[in-house]
Amino acid sequence: MAENVDARASAWSDAVVRAAAEASRLQPLATFLFWGALLLIIGQHVAEPITYVFEGEVGEGVREFLAHLVEALPALVLSFALWETRGYLGRLAKGELWGPSTARLLGRVGDCLLWAAIFSVLVVPNLENWLHGGFGGFDANFEAVDLCLAGMGLLLSLISRVVGNVVQVAASLKAENDQIV
């Protein structure tokens, strides 16, 4: 019996070490992707469109610049999902395979995905309409990709809450068991 417990503990320790090693290799990739996305957002939605302010009529240039900033909102929110993923990988690299904080990080990634879809479907079309002089009505831009993004975000957020509850119960049971032994 004791040998079986020792074998399981050893297998668990090996799995945690392997997960930490893999996460430490993936964290720089997540960091690179975050900064790459941020630089693209700045280039496409800030640096390039700022020239519109100086070309032609000033009011129209400012509107075009603001429209590009509005278009950047979903991508900006998704870049925060990359940042949260980087944080999650950092926790894994430190050996925190599952805990309340890692479950919350996964939930925040899901929240970012969900918010990016909401911005893409509801916020961006209405702000663009307003910037171009349309003050009446309500616009929505439903695309399959937005539904998938919202669905994945919602499910990841919900899964992280369920797993977070399980992890908290397991941690309290382990603490009680450690006190008994």
Side-chain angles (χ1 to χ4, degrees):
M1 175 86 170
E3 292 174 7
N4 196 14
V5 171
D6 289 341
R8 285 186 200 161
S10 177
W12 176 256
S13 295
D14 290 345
V16 170
V17 167
R18 284 193 309 274
E22 191 64 30
S24 66
R25 283 192 293 274
L26 291 174
Q27 190 179 21
L29 175 62
T31 303
F32 173 78
L33 291 171
F34 167 76
W35 286 110
L38 206 57
L39 288 173
L40 278 173
I41 291 167
I42 291 169
Q44 291 175 348
H45 296 285
V46 178
E48 179 187 334
I50 205 161
T51 61
Y52 299 142
V53 174
F54 302 109
E55 295 175 355
E57 194 175 315
V58 174
E60 186 61 32
V62 170
R63 263 193 300 281
E64 284 299 315
F65 176 69
L66 291 174
H68 275 275
L69 290 180
V70 167
E71 287 175 13
L73 289 174
L76 193 59
V77 173
L78 286 174
S79 69
F80 285 114
L82 285 169
W83 184 258
E84 293 293 346
T85 301
R86 185 193 153 287
Y88 175 72
L89 290 169
R91 297 262 187 191
L92 287 178
K94 292 176 185 170
E96 188 179 332
L97 196 56
W98 277 106
S101 61
T102 55
R104 280 191 302 275
L105 282 168
L106 282 179
R108 287 198 301 258
V109 169
D111 293 344
C112 286
L113 298 177
L114 183 58
W115 278 108
I118 290 169
F119 274 114
S120 183
V121 170
L122 299 173
V123 175
V124 170
N126 286 292
L127 285 177
E128 284 179 338
N129 187 27
W130 177 71
L131 283 170
H132 291 101
F135 292 105
F138 178 77
D139 289 336
N141 183 22
F142 288 108
E143 298 286 334
V145 70
D146 297 317
L147 178 63
C148 293
L149 196 60
M152 287 302 300
L154 179 63
L155 290 171
L156 190 55
S157 293
L158 294 173
I159 288 168
S160 74
R161 285 180 179 87
V162 170
V163 170
N165 290 336
V166 170
V167 167
Q168 285 179 329
V169 169
S172 71
L173 289 174
K174 183 182 181 309
E176 286 177 27
N177 190 28
D178 288 347
Q179 286 178 350
I180 294 171
V181 176

